[in-house]
Amino acid sequence: MILAVAFGCTVNTALGQSDSSSIQLFETLDQVNIGSDPGISLSKKAIITQELISEVELRKAACCDLSESFETNASISASFTDAVTGTRQIRLLGLEGPYALYTKGNLTTMGGLASVMGLGFIPGAWIQSIQLTKGPGSVVNGAGAISGQINYELRPSFTEQIGHVNLFAGPGRFEQNLIYTWHQSKKWSSNIMVHGRQQLFRWDGNKDGYLDTPLSRHFFVQNAWKFNGKNSEGQLGIKFSSADNIGGSTLYGKETLAPIWSHELQTDRYELWAKRGYFLKGGINRSIGTQFSANYQDLDSYFGERLFTAKELRTYGNLIFQDNIIDTRRSIKVGADFNLHNVEQEMWGSNGDYDASTFGIYGEYSYVASPDGEGLSMILGQRLDHLNITDNVDKFFYVPRLHIKYNSGAWSLRSQASRSYRYTTLGAEYMGYMANNRVFNLSSGSAPAVESAWTLGTSGAFTKDIAFKELQITGDVFLTKFDRKMTLDLDQDTETALFYNRSWTMNEWEDQPYSLSAQFGGQYELLHRTLFKFAYRYQKVTQLNLTAFNQGIDNELEEVILNVPHLLYGGISYTGTKGLGIELNATYNSSQRLPNVGYDDRSPAFTMLGGQVSKEFRRRGQVYLGLQNALNVRQLNPILGGDLPFEDRFDASVVWGPIMGRQVYMGWRYDLRKP
Amino acid sequence: MKLKTILAAAILFLSIPSFGQSNITETTLEVDGLCGMCKKRIENAAYIQGVKKVNWDLSTHELAITYRNDKVNEQGIIAAINSAGHDVKDHIATDEQYATVHGCCTYRDAEMRKSHGLDDALCKPNETHEEHHAHGGKDKH
Ligand SMILES: [Cu+2]
C-alpha cells in the first residue's frame, strides 16, 4: 500500500506522508485532503491522540524553524530559554522541550546536546508536515516521549516538484532556502536542501545595552536519497549544520573602557541516517524494517566568563518486524533497538563527560475493530530496556503502554496509560541557565539523571457537519506523575542555582511532582472561506520545593517558574479564490511565576497578536507579508543587573515574554514543477 | 461595526437549520482533471459564495457539490470551474482558460492521461477549438 507511491502531482499533496517509512511505525493516518485542508487536522483512525499539521498550516506561522512552527497551535508554547542566545524551546503538556521525543520520518533525531537547540536546525521551509502526539506514543520509537512526540516529515524526493525556493526577510534577519529534487532513475530519487540564515544588524530595541537577538550565521545542507523497489524501500541521507552566534553586549567587537559581557556559540553537527524496509512474502502486511542513524556534534561557547564546550557522538539502530495475526484487524510489531551516546563536556567549571548505552526489546499488539476506525481500537506496547550510564546507572526499565480508542459516529474517545523514562543531559538542556552568574550547586553530581513518569491521558473529539461545514471540537486532559525527577531551583537567592535529583516510591504517590494539562478547542468555517479557531488551555506544573526540603520538609510541591497556567488562543484564517490568504492570530498568556528572589512575584499577563497576508500567483509563486507581536509587548528588563554584568546578581536566564517588539517580515516562496 | 459583523455571523450560524431543504441543492458534475493538484484547483474554483461543500473524486471525476440555489446556480459554478481551466461535461473550457493550468496538469493530453491511467478526455483531442465552444454552447439549450 505504501509502496504504491504514484508519480505525478499527487505526491506533493496526499501521498506526502508515504515518503516516511516503508514500515509504518504509527497506525495509519488519514491522508490529508488538501482540497479542504484546514491546516490542523485530527486523524479519526489514529489510536494515539495526534494532530497533523500540514504545510498549509505551517505557512501561516511567521517562519523559520521547527521551534517557531507552532504559533498557530495552542498545544505547544515556544519561549526563549534566555535573553542572549535567541534559542527557543517548546513546552508540551507543561514540560520543557527535552521531555518530548523528536523524530524525522519516525526516526529518532534529536536528544542530548541537540535536545533544545536542535529545533533551530530544522528549517520550516524543509518541513512538509508535522505530527504532534500528546503524551507517550508507540514503544517502537523508544521509552522517551514523556510529554509527547513531534514527528516531522521533510519534503520528499519522490515528487514532481523539482525545486522550491523560500526567501525571508525580517528585522535584520534574512533566510534563504533552496531545495532541488531529481530522479536519478526509476527507482532512485534524491534531493538537496540548503538553508542559510543571517542576523546581520545589532538590534537593541529596549536600549539595555544588550542585543535583543544574537548576531548569527547559520548554514545547513542536506542530501537525501530514496529508493523505491518492487518489494522494498530505502532511504538514506546526510546533513551538515553549522551555527555561529554572538550575543550579549551591543559593544561586542568594539573598543570599550570597561569589560563587557558577551556570549559566543559555535557548533557543527553531522548527521547520517538510513532506513530500509522489505515486504515479506506470506502476508500482506508482513515486513521488516531497519533504521540507523549516527550523529556527531561539536560545540564551543562562552557566556561571559563561563565556558561551555561539548562533543557528542550518538548512534542509533532499530530493527522492526511487523505482521498481522489471525486477520488484518490484529497486528504485531516486535523489534530491538540500541542507542549509544558519548558526551564529553565542560560545564559550570566541572567535567560532565559520560557514556550512555541503551539496549531495548519491544513488542506491540494493536487491534482495530473496523478498517474505517469505527468501534474499539487499541495498542498495547511493552518495552524492556537496559540502560547503562558510566559509574552511575546500570538498570533495567520496564515500559508498558496502553492506548485505547473508541469511535462512534461523530465521536472519538481516546485514553492512555503509559510509562516512560529518559536521562538528562545536564549542560545542553539547561543552557539558557548559563546566561547568569549564579553558582551552580550540582549536589547530585554532573552525571545524567534518570527521570521517569506515568502518564494518564484522555481526549475526546467531536466532528460533525453542521450546515454542510465541518465543526470540530476537541478536549483533552493529561496527567504526568514523576517518580524520578531532576529539580532546578532558582528561589534560594540571586547567586545560586540548585540541582537536585530525587525519586519517590509508589507509596509517596501523593508527593510526586506532576504536570496537569487540560485543553479545549474547536474550529469551524463560520463565514464562507473563513475558518475560525479557538482554544483554551490550562496547565499546572509542580516540582519539589527545595527551600522547604532544605528545612527538612521533604514532601512539599511548588509551582514551577515560567509556566503559563491559562492560555487562550483565537485564530481566523481566510482563503480567497484567487490565491489570497489572510491570517489573524491572538494568544493570551496568563501570568507566570518568577523566581522568589530578585524578581516580581509573577510576570504580567500578555497577549501576542499577529497577522499575515499572502498571495499566490499562478506562475510567480507566493509572496507573504506579516506582522508579529502587533501589540508591541515586551519584557523590558530581560537581563537583570545588566549594568554590572560581573556581579553575582547578573541574570539573563529568566525570560517570560518577547524581547523583540513589533516586527514586520516578508518573504517569497516558489515551487518549481516539471512542465 | 465589528460587533455588527459578529452579530451577523452569529445570526447566520443560528439561522442555518432554517434553510431547510428547500433552497439547498446537492448535485454532481463531471469535471476533468489528473491529479491532487487538479483536485485542489477544481475544489477551490467551485467553492464560490453560496456553495457549501465541494468534493472532487480523483478516480470517478465526479464533483459532489452542495449549494444554496437562491444564491448561486449551476451555470455560475460551471463558469467558475471553466475559468480555472477545467472542463466540465458538456461545458468545455476555452483554450485560454485551459492554458492556465499547470504543466503537470495538462489533462487533455493523451500521453498524460495514459500515465495517470485515464481514458478519453471530456474534450476530445481531435475536436478543434471552435468545436469546443459549439459543443459547450449547444448543450446549454
Ligand atoms: Cu493536476
Side-chain angles (χ1 to χ4, degrees), chain A residues 1 21 51 75 125 180 279 293 384 453 543 547 552 624 626:
Chain A
M1 46 164 181
S21 162
E51 283 174 35
S75 301
Y180 178 71
F279 280 80
S293 72
L384 186 66
Q543 67 174 20
T547 310
Y624 53 96

Side-chain angles (χ1 to χ4, degrees), chain A residues 395-660:
Chain A
K395 234 176 128 67
F396 282 96
F397 289 89
Y398 171 62
V399 178
R401 291 181 185 176
L402 176 68
H403 293 87
I404 295 178
K405 181 189 65 134
Y406 188 78
N407 272 20
S408 172
W411 289 93
S412 307
L413 298 170
R414 293 175 173 83
S415 269
Q416 71 156 307
S418 306
R419 180 79 174 143
S420 48
Y421 83 91
R422 70 186 282 267
Y423 57 87
T424 59
T425 294
L426 210 50
E429 286 176 21
Y430 295 94
M431 203 175 75
Y433 293 106
M434 291 180 183
N436 57 40
N437 288 339
R438 290 175 190 267
V439 174
F440 273 73
N441 184 345
L442 303 172
S443 58
S444 334
S446 58
V450 172
E451 301 190 315
S452 54
W454 278 101
T455 303
L456 295 173
T458 191
S459 69
F462 175 80
T463 317
K464 195 174 165 63
D465 275 7
I466 292 190
F468 308 99
K469 315 226 171 179
E470 191 183 83
L471 171 72
Q472 224 178 61
I473 292 183
T474 54
D476 61 52
V477 182
F478 282 87
L479 175 68
T480 312
K481 276 266 194 185
F482 286 91
D483 52 290
R484 290 188 193 85
K485 179 92 165 69
M486 165 151 251
T487 306
L488 169 65
D489 181 294
L490 303 182
D491 291 331
Q492 307 297 308
D493 50 52
T494 52
E495 289 98 51
T496 44
L498 284 178
F499 278 112
Y500 188 74
N501 257 331
R502 177 172 176 193
S503 61
W504 289 261
T505 62
M506 275 299 221
N507 295 332
E508 295 167 310
W509 168 260
E510 290 192 353
D511 301 341
Q512 292 176 0
Y514 64 90
S515 167
L516 174 69
S517 167
Q519 193 173 321
F520 177 75
Q523 62 179 47
Y524 187 70
E525 192 185 316
L526 199 56
L527 300 173
H528 189 63
R529 287 179 169 270
T530 312
L531 189 71
F532 287 73
K533 290 191 290 181
F534 80 94
Y536 165 75
R537 192 188 75 195
Y538 170 77
Q539 269 171 4
K540 182 164 187 193
V541 188
T542 62
Q543 67 174 20
L544 180 66
N545 184 336
L546 281 187
T547 310
F549 188 77
N550 287 341
Q551 290 159 3
I553 306 157
D554 70 344
N555 62 353
E556 203 168 293
L557 296 176
E558 62 176 0
E559 185 186 0
V560 299
I561 57 167
L562 302 176
N563 171 53
V564 178
H566 304 277
L567 180 139
L568 271 171
Y569 166 79
I572 301 174
S573 168
Y574 170 79
T575 319
T577 29
K578 300 271 183 265
L580 177 72
I582 301 171
E583 314 298 331
L584 269 177
N585 288 294
T587 310
Y588 166 85
N589 295 272
S590 72
S591 148
Q592 307 162 34
R593 182 171 95 77
L594 300 177
N596 280 348
V597 186
Y599 295 87
D600 292 339
D601 257 9
R602 301 188 76 90
S603 76
F606 66 96
T607 301
M608 292 294 280
L609 184 67
Q612 181 180 290
V613 179
S614 62
K615 168 82 183 158
E616 185 145 23
F617 297 97
R618 219 161 234 162
R619 305 208 188 277
R620 289 185 208 91
Q622 187 186 40
V623 290
Y624 53 96
L625 175 72
L627 179 67
Q628 271 181 296
N629 194 0
L631 302 176
N632 203 23
V633 178
R634 284 184 296 172
Q635 178 177 354
L636 286 172
N637 53 347
I639 297 174
L640 204 71
D643 47 337
L644 294 166
F646 298 99
E647 298 290 314
D648 285 346
R649 67 183 309 249
F650 174 85
D651 195 347
S653 56
V654 179
V655 180
W656 52 260
I659 298 166
M660 297 271 271

Side-chain angles (χ1 to χ4, degrees), chain A residues 9 35 465 467 469 525 528-529, chain B residues 16 35 43-44 47 53 104:
Chain A
C9 320
D465 275 7
K469 315 226 171 179
E525 192 185 316
H528 189 63
R529 287 179 169 270
Chain B
I16 282 157
C35 62
E43 290 177 351
N44 180 52
Y47 199 44
K53 211 174 178 68
C104 72

Side-chain angles (χ1 to χ4, degrees), chain A residues 171-182:
Chain A
R173 177 172 174 182
F174 301 95
E175 299 206 7
Q176 308 81 33
N177 292 282
L178 280 170
I179 299 169
Y180 178 71
T181 305
W182 70 95

